[in-house]
Amino acid sequence: MLDDNNKPVQVKADASDDVWQSLKERAANLMASLEERDYVSANNVIQDLNELRDNTLYREVGKLTRGLHDAIVNFELEPSKASGTDSAEGESQMANAKDRLDYVINLTQTSADKTMDMVEEGIPIASAQAEIAKQLQLDWARLLRREMQVDEFKGLAERIDGFLAQSIDGNALISQKLNEILLAQDFQDLTGQVITKVIVLVQDVEDRLVELMRVAGQIEELTGIVKDPAAKPKTNKQGLDSAPEGPQIHADKREDVVSGQDDVDDLLSSLGF
Amino acid sequence: MKILIVDDFSTMRRIIKNLLRDLGFTNTSEADDGQTALPMLQNGNFDFLVTDWNMPGMTGIELLKAVRADARLKDMPILMVTAEAKRDQIVEAAQAGVNGYVVKPFTAAVLKEKIEKIFERVG
């Protein structure tokens, strides 16, 4: 995921060839001084070696620290560092990702509201028509059984006439609402695109975090920082693990999660429900 | 039959409300978390509670426990409708005295079945 400008920081923790060469030379000098029993000269060489070691260490730590700094800068958490193609001026990629996800929530919410509005408006129209049709059907049956007087039939004919007109209007309204429900699903395309971009960003952040950990690990190694074993997160928990997790994306891959309502029912009945 | 629907997402409250209306339960009220729901339950003569689990403020499991701990409310039938699907969670809800547990996403038929079962049992 790292492009040319953000290529992985290459830092070598071990001493370079120059350093090895200097060390060898000084070691030879030290041996020579010792053989000549020249203690002053030998002491100077040892002093030299100490300085060389210190300088090398400082240089390597310096390099690694710079690498660490670069890795952090690459996160582009600060607004001034933002470089996303369509991120707003002065906005970090992280803040931009948050905006994108807020946009997804808004679009899906609007669509859900619109759909339910249409359904809630459509249901009474359909129910009213069904109600009138049922009543007319009863009266029509009476007519067929010749149980209806002429006056009553005139009334029935008018009601049928009214019902047909109402039915045409009602159907037109319901069709219009169904079409609006259809159009309200256009969010899927837009949210899909936005979420895909956020997935790319998350992947990028993960890559940079791995790089950061690698550089930090080298600094620890070089400077001899010992990791605190007590800092490990505790994994053994007592009792029920009932912290909310939200929807399960990989329910089929987890033993501690039910895979559907049937599983829930089985579990509950095993508990005596 | 007066029913309280508790969920932090208005969309889900509306879906449940519509499904309940379809089942003939038209007297429903809504709350968006346990903290809002509990005083409504204490003052509102509700007969039935449908609640989500994961909500800000007071969660559904906390609400369930609070209702069971309240002398006047403790016998109220409670149906949990939630995306929470860990076995431990279902066990905890059962131990806390839930009357039914529906995992999201659910169908109208499942909701109907669970509600009918609850009323069958509580009478």
Side-chain angles (χ1 to χ4, degrees):
Chain A
M1 285 316 227
L2 306 180
D3 60 25
D4 285 351
N5 297 326
N6 300 323
K7 59 185 163 225
V9 192
Q10 290 300 339
V11 193
K12 259 184 122 189
D14 41 352
S16 64
D17 290 347
D18 287 3
V19 177
W20 282 116
Q21 197 54 45
S22 310
L23 277 176
K24 271 192 212 160
E25 275 171 26
R26 281 171 176 74
N29 289 346
L30 182 60
M31 287 302 290
S33 304
L34 287 176
E35 270 165 24
E36 286 166 24
R37 293 185 167 264
D38 183 349
Y39 290 110
V40 177
S41 166
N43 260 330
N44 283 342
V45 177
I46 290 170
Q47 181 86 27
D48 234 23
L49 277 170
N50 267 333
E51 272 173 28
L52 182 67
R53 189 203 60 188
D54 285 353
N55 287 342
T56 314
L57 183 65
Y58 290 145
R59 199 161 53 237
E60 291 302 323
V61 170
K63 264 195 236 166
L64 290 171
T65 309
R66 202 153 41 246
L68 197 59
H69 179 253
D70 288 348
I72 291 171
V73 166
N74 282 341
F75 270 119
E76 296 180 350
L77 290 172
E78 296 161 55
S80 58
K81 302 284 181 194
S83 64
T85 46
D86 57 352
S87 64
E89 188 80 28
E91 193 180 41
S92 76
Q93 282 204 33
M94 281 297 166
N96 186 245
K98 187 190 157 294
D99 286 350
R100 286 170 195 268
L101 293 179
D102 279 340
Y103 171 76
V104 169
I105 293 175
N106 283 336
L107 270 191
T108 50
Q109 172 83 55
T110 306
S111 167
D113 285 344
K114 183 84 186 276
T115 302
M116 285 189 291
D117 283 348
M118 292 303 114
V119 170
E120 285 177 6
E121 286 170 23
I123 286 174
I125 300 173
S127 313
Q129 280 186 34
E131 203 49 52
I132 299 171
K134 253 184 235 165
Q135 196 53 54
L136 287 176
Q137 190 183 35
L138 290 176
D139 290 341
W140 188 252
R142 282 179 52 226
L143 174 75
L144 292 181
R145 291 199 301 269
R146 300 175 190 278
E147 295 170 8
M148 196 175 278
Q149 302 301 314
V150 177
D151 283 352
E152 208 188 340
F153 172 71
K154 278 181 185 164
L156 176 61
E158 269 171 35
R159 277 165 56 213
I160 288 176
D161 200 39
F163 173 71
L164 291 176
Q166 199 188 339
S167 196
I168 290 166
D169 290 348
N171 270 297
L173 263 175
I174 288 174
S175 294
Q176 181 207 327
K177 291 183 193 311
L178 288 177
N179 266 325
E180 285 188 46
I181 288 172
L182 189 72
L183 289 175
Q185 313 309 310
D186 64 349
F187 72 92
Q188 175 62 31
D189 169 35
L190 303 171
T191 54
Q193 292 183 41
V194 169
I195 291 173
T196 306
K197 285 200 171 178
V198 174
I199 290 172
V200 170
L201 176 70
V202 169
Q203 181 67 55
D204 199 33
V205 167
E206 188 187 5
D207 290 349
R208 292 185 201 290
L209 265 179
V210 169
E211 180 60 21
L212 198 61
M213 283 182 66
R214 196 184 64 78
V215 176
Q218 284 181 344
I219 291 181
E220 278 177 354
E221 210 174 285
L222 194 68
T223 54
I225 296 170
V226 182
K227 285 177 193 157
D228 182 4
K232 270 191 185 170
K234 285 170 195 160
T235 46
N236 281 339
K237 268 200 199 167
Q238 293 286 317
L240 294 172
D241 173 21
S242 61
E245 285 187 19
Q248 293 295 338
I249 314 296
H250 295 298
D252 50 335
K253 290 178 189 155
R254 277 180 59 172
E255 283 288 316
D256 63 333
V257 162
V258 295
S259 62
Q261 190 63 41
D262 288 346
D263 257 10
V264 176
D265 295 348
D266 289 349
L267 179 56
L268 286 177
S269 62
S270 78
L271 294 168
F273 261 70
Chain B
M1 172 70 59
K2 199 172 167 191
I3 304 176
L4 182 64
I5 304 163
V6 190
D7 198 306
D8 53 335
F9 278 90
S10 62
T11 312
M12 190 44 71
R13 291 200 300 270
R14 220 168 145 185
I15 290 173
I16 294 173
K17 189 176 137 187
N18 274 296
L19 290 173
L20 287 173
R21 194 196 51 207
D22 219 37
L23 296 175
F25 303 109
T26 49
N27 192 3
T28 53
S29 298
E30 300 176 30
D32 61 3
D33 86 320
Q35 248 157 23
T36 328
L38 196 55
M40 286 175 78
L41 289 168
Q42 284 161 340
N43 305 322
N45 296 319
F46 284 96
D47 305 295
F48 185 43
L49 170 63
V50 179
T51 182
D52 184 21
W53 182 308
N54 194 5
M55 296 177 286
M58 188 191 216
T59 64
I61 190 75
E62 287 163 352
L63 178 63
L64 167 62
K65 289 173 182 171
V67 168
R68 290 290 177 254
D70 187 303
R72 281 180 307 148
L73 298 175
K74 64 179 172 45
D75 296 323
M76 176 177 294
I78 300 176
L79 176 68
M80 213 147 204
V81 179
T82 173
E84 299 301 328
K86 278 191 291 187
R87 290 176 186 280
D88 277 2
Q89 289 175 308
I90 298 160
V91 171
E92 182 172 357
Q95 286 172 354
V98 82
N99 300 83
Y101 199 104
V102 172
V103 281
K104 297 176 190 169
F106 60 94
T107 62
V110 164
L111 190 72
K112 180 168 188 269
E113 181 204 326
K114 300 306 166 200
I115 288 175
E116 281 171 353
K117 215 168 160 188
I118 288 172
F119 289 132
E120 225 171 79
R121 231 178 293 139
V122 296

